[in-house]
Amino acid sequence: MAKRRKPISFDTTLRNPSRIPQFISVLSKFEGKTIDDQVALELEGEIIRQKIFIPTKNTLGNYVKYYNDKFSFLAADQSSDASKKVDKYYKEWVDGEPGEIELDKIVYLLKNTITAHKDKGWNGGWESRIHTQFNFLNELGLVRVVKGEKVKISSNGKLMITDYVNGYPKGESFDERFEQSAFLNAFAKYQINNPYRKNTIKVNFFPLVLNVIKYLDEKYNRPGIAKQDLPFIIMWGDNDYETLAEYIYVFRQKFGYNTSNELVYEYAMNLMDSSTSNNSLVPASKSFILSKKNDYKFDKVMGETPDEIIRKLRLTMLISLRGAGRFIDINKNEQEKINHVLTNYSSNVNFCDNVDKYFEFMGAMDKVLFFSQVAVETQDAKDAKERAIEKWAVENDWEFLKNEMINSVENRPSSHFILKYVKETVRLEFLSAIVIKKALPKLKVIANYKADDQGIPFNTASGGKNNQIGADIDVFEDTIHAIMEPTISKTRSFQVEHELPSIRNHVLTTANKDFKDKNGYNEWFCLFIASNISRDVGDQVALIRQTNNVEIFPWDIVDFVDYSQNVVSIRDYKVIRDYAKPQIMPKYKKHTNRQE
């Protein structure tokens, strides 16, 4: 395919950023292997086996004997009982835990079912899913996944999965800053004109965005750019940020911010017209829009791509959300890293379609862009988080908070202007802190997630390491120091085997530290916020209390929000609900076998 001028766009296959390290973690098992037909199916099979990607019953559980539409397919098993075997293996996979079913059974399913998908260079069906899942990761220089070549994972890709195994965080020591550092390294260097793109424009995308924001702030005291300004950047064709910034400034001076998307689209489209100058503010001609509207679709330019830009740039932790999510700005908590990106990565590099050169450049780690494991949070950053929690508690009603918490655990996207850019795991922590602050406004609530300078979270609290306790949220009332531990995981094994032992350690460490520091607290416990709480959780909580004298109170998310509307003290949450009561043997009458 010949190169041509196109708007900037991002792959939307992996909308959920937490999935990127998950995919690379699974891929690491195949590093160095050449991707032939069998290895391709084993790779996709392992991704499915670990439930990183969850196909539907209609695809993975539906036996297809042959198919001849977008591509030709013949099931490997042509026997009369193949359909029953597919049903059996599919049900075994659905009912099992991640990684529980044998890989051979998943590969059998892939060889006897189809997904109607075909990518160039890959066999049609499940194998083509690999290209879809890894192509953008190729672009970011995290991996090299190409049919007929050996699997490669760059140094930056390996950094991203430092705390992952089999597609999931290793345990309590999990620290998202490894993957945040990797994301920042990747996006700081990312160029639209890379060997994987057929686009003629030469743009260093993230530095261009940062330079535009910085220029407008310094020259016009205009912090941030509106989300509605992003189409101008999407349509821009080089790194001349000054001309672009002036274009945006003049547009807003003329029309203000209460403008329609249709108006912005007309003026942004003119930037794609090579027959007109970018130095003057004029709309695109009707004929140009008519000729290009199928290539530069309105919904994509005005909605989908700006959303994806914000979602992906938030991964770097250098972008703040302002104005109820309508504006993006530089995160002033990370000014040193921003300056480093602008100084070192604003100039375009010509890779001449050399994928090896590009992989080496993108995959190298710039240690200045690492987020320190021992960084001390400033008081300003802590205050911003507290202000955000208090503001959201006042401004949002119970039903909204409950629904958004449910969205988080169900991995459903939010439609809220801000929450839709916050990953589900930390979104639940944020909302849990808001709920308890709304219930008890006088409480001091300290959330330990990483946030921007507006207090909007980036990632979850780090695990207990480097002399940090690792609790998600600390709550203080008089002589009580409670902690809150929300989790989006609904699996019994994760809640019982991972969460509860970690929580026990957090409570013990918190109490011991308070005692040592003479902080004046004499009561410690934890509220465990989750969904699908099993009886095994109740059993383990009772055992921990008996063995360690540590109090943990499990709360179902819906019950937690409903109950919170009528509490007067944090102590009111010290209740073992019916769904979390430990199991006990039934009472029965003893019988004997003695002879009368």
Side-chain angles (χ1 to χ4, degrees), residues 212-471:
V212 167
I213 294 174
K214 185 170 182 282
Y215 178 90
L216 290 171
D217 187 19
E218 292 178 351
K219 185 170 181 179
Y220 298 111
N221 193 29
R222 182 181 180 277
I225 57 174
K227 175 187 173 184
Q228 204 186 43
D229 291 332
L230 288 174
F232 297 121
I233 300 178
I234 291 166
M235 298 297 195
W236 201 247
D238 55 39
N239 285 327
D240 181 5
Y241 64 87
E242 293 186 8
T243 304
L244 173 57
E246 289 290 346
Y247 191 91
I248 293 172
Y249 178 75
V250 172
F251 179 87
R252 291 304 175 189
Q253 285 293 104
K254 182 175 181 178
F255 298 109
Y257 287 99
N258 294 321
T259 54
S260 69
N261 283 343
E262 287 76 11
L263 183 69
V264 173
Y265 180 72
E266 288 178 6
Y267 279 83
M269 282 289 278
N270 191 55
L271 299 176
M272 295 291 296
D273 190 348
S274 58
S275 66
T276 62
S277 171
N278 290 342
N279 291 318
S280 57
L281 186 70
V282 292
S285 66
K286 291 183 180 179
S287 61
F288 181 80
I289 292 176
L290 186 62
S291 67
K292 298 294 184 180
K293 66 178 183 179
N294 290 331
D295 284 344
Y296 318 145
K297 291 182 173 63
F298 176 84
D299 290 343
K300 188 174 180 67
V301 170
M302 297 306 305
E304 182 179 312
T305 301
D307 268 346
E308 205 58 35
I309 285 171
I310 297 174
R311 189 174 286 111
K312 284 183 165 59
L313 294 190
R314 285 280 293 176
L315 300 174
T316 69
M317 298 208 298
L318 301 194
I319 292 294
S320 289
L321 296 173
R322 303 192 193 282
R326 294 176 59 240
F327 291 81
I328 63 170
D329 197 3
I330 286 172
N331 176 17
K332 293 178 174 56
N333 292 341
E334 303 293 351
Q335 193 65 57
E336 181 183 350
K337 289 182 174 61
I338 290 167
N339 293 338
H340 182 79
V341 170
L342 295 180
T343 300
N344 293 276
Y345 299 111
S346 293
S347 299
N348 204 257
V349 180
N350 185 6
F351 294 101
C352 300
D353 291 334
N354 187 324
V355 293
D356 292 327
K357 181 180 177 183
Y358 182 75
F359 181 78
E360 182 179 350
F361 171 76
M362 290 293 293
M365 295 185 293
D366 184 341
K367 294 190 176 180
V368 178
L369 301 181
F370 280 22
F371 292 99
S372 172
Q373 301 293 308
V374 293
V376 178
E377 191 173 41
T378 66
Q379 190 59 48
D380 284 346
K382 294 177 182 178
D383 292 344
K385 289 194 291 187
E386 285 195 64
R387 286 194 300 271
I389 291 168
E390 185 171 5
K391 183 173 184 290
W392 280 62
V394 170
E395 294 179 353
N396 294 285
D397 61 35
W398 293 109
E399 197 64 22
F400 168 81
L401 296 172
K402 180 165 63 176
N403 288 337
E404 288 296 343
M405 290 180 79
I406 294 170
N407 285 341
S408 299
V409 297
E410 296 297 337
N411 286 314
R412 292 200 295 253
S414 172
S415 59
H416 187 272
F417 288 134
I418 289 178
L419 293 179
K420 67 180 179 179
Y421 302 123
V422 179
K423 192 163 67 170
E424 291 87 349
T425 48
V426 68
R427 191 195 308 166
L428 185 62
E429 290 184 17
F430 184 45
L431 292 164
S432 298
I434 294 165
V435 165
I436 204 157
K437 184 70 174 179
K438 186 175 184 67
L440 300 165
K442 293 183 180 180
L443 286 183
K444 187 172 182 62
V445 181
I446 305 295
N448 296 310
Y449 45 70
K450 183 80 171 179
D452 63 24
D453 57 12
Q454 300 299 295
I456 305 302
F458 285 121
N459 61 24
T460 56
S462 60
K465 59 196 302 185
N466 297 315
N467 297 318
Q468 297 183 14
I469 292 173

Side-chain angles (χ1 to χ4, degrees), residues 74-107:
L74 185 67
D77 188 349
Q78 293 286 310
S79 67
S80 59
D81 65 343
S83 181
K84 291 182 179 179
K85 198 171 181 181
V86 165
D87 285 340
K88 177 185 176 184
Y89 288 172
Y90 177 80
K91 188 176 187 304
E92 188 176 333
W93 170 74
V94 167
D95 293 341
E97 296 285 333
E100 188 174 352
I101 189 175
E102 296 92 333
L103 178 59
D104 287 348
K105 292 181 178 179
I106 297 295
V107 172

Side-chain angles (χ1 to χ4, degrees), residues 478-541:
D478 301 326
T479 59
I480 301 171
H481 181 176
I483 64 174
M484 296 176 65
E485 299 282 353
T487 180
I488 67 168
S489 175
K490 297 193 291 183
T491 62
R492 181 209 62 81
S493 60
F494 191 84
Q495 291 182 5
V496 174
E497 298 168 17
H498 169 71
E499 291 287 1
L500 291 180
S502 296
I503 290 170
R504 175 197 59 203
N505 294 339
H506 291 166
V507 176
L508 287 169
T509 307
T510 297
N512 287 328
K513 186 176 187 304
D514 284 342
F515 185 79
K516 179 181 178 182
D517 296 344
K518 299 179 180 179
N519 289 332
Y521 302 110
N522 57 24
E523 188 174 345
W524 301 269
F525 56 90
C526 174
L527 307 184
F528 177 46
I529 316 298
S531 183
N532 199 38
I533 293 173
S534 74
R535 286 291 182 183
D536 289 346
V537 168
D539 295 343
Q540 187 67 16
V541 164

Side-chain angles (χ1 to χ4, degrees), residues 74-235:
L74 185 67
D77 188 349
Q78 293 286 310
S79 67
S80 59
D81 65 343
S83 181
K84 291 182 179 179
K85 198 171 181 181
V86 165
D87 285 340
K88 177 185 176 184
Y89 288 172
Y90 177 80
K91 188 176 187 304
E92 188 176 333
W93 170 74
V94 167
D95 293 341
E97 296 285 333
E100 188 174 352
I101 189 175
E102 296 92 333
L103 178 59
D104 287 348
K105 292 181 178 179
I106 297 295
V107 172
Y108 174 88
L109 290 176
L110 301 186
K111 288 182 176 181
N112 292 281
T113 63
I114 67 161
T115 174
H117 188 72
K118 175 72 171 75
D119 279 324
K120 185 179 179 181
W122 297 81
N123 291 336
W126 294 108
E127 182 179 300
S128 283
R129 284 289 170 193
I130 296 173
H131 178 263
T132 303
Q133 292 158 346
F134 286 99
N135 192 48
F136 186 60
L137 309 192
N138 285 344
E139 277 197 70
L140 293 180
L142 298 168
V143 302
R144 173 81 174 144
V145 178
V146 177
K147 184 73 181 288
E149 297 185 15
K150 289 185 177 181
V151 171
K152 293 182 180 179
I153 303 176
S154 69
S155 297
N156 197 37
K158 290 178 180 178
L159 172 69
M160 178 170 281
I161 60 172
T162 301
D163 268 3
Y164 280 81
V165 62
N166 293 327
Y168 294 94
K170 290 179 180 177
E172 185 183 357
S173 63
F174 174 62
D175 193 331
E176 287 189 76
R177 281 175 287 189
F178 289 118
E179 60 189 82
Q180 303 297 150
S181 299
F183 278 128
L184 177 53
N185 267 268
F187 281 110
K189 303 173 188 177
Y190 178 73
Q191 296 184 180
I192 301 301
N193 55 315
N194 65 68
Y196 297 94
R197 293 261 173 172
K198 302 299 181 182
N199 201 339
T200 59
I201 64 174
K202 297 181 178 179
V203 171
N204 296 52
F205 184 73
F206 191 26
L208 176 63
V209 173
L210 294 175
N211 271 315
V212 167
I213 294 174
K214 185 170 182 282
Y215 178 90
L216 290 171
D217 187 19
E218 292 178 351
K219 185 170 181 179
Y220 298 111
N221 193 29
R222 182 181 180 277
I225 57 174
K227 175 187 173 184
Q228 204 186 43
D229 291 332
L230 288 174
F232 297 121
I233 300 178
I234 291 166
M235 298 297 195

Side-chain angles (χ1 to χ4, degrees), residues 21-34:
Q22 287 188 294
F23 275 87
I24 300 175
S25 174
V26 172
L27 180 69
S28 65
K29 296 181 177 183
F30 296 83
E31 187 176 15
K33 291 186 177 181
T34 299

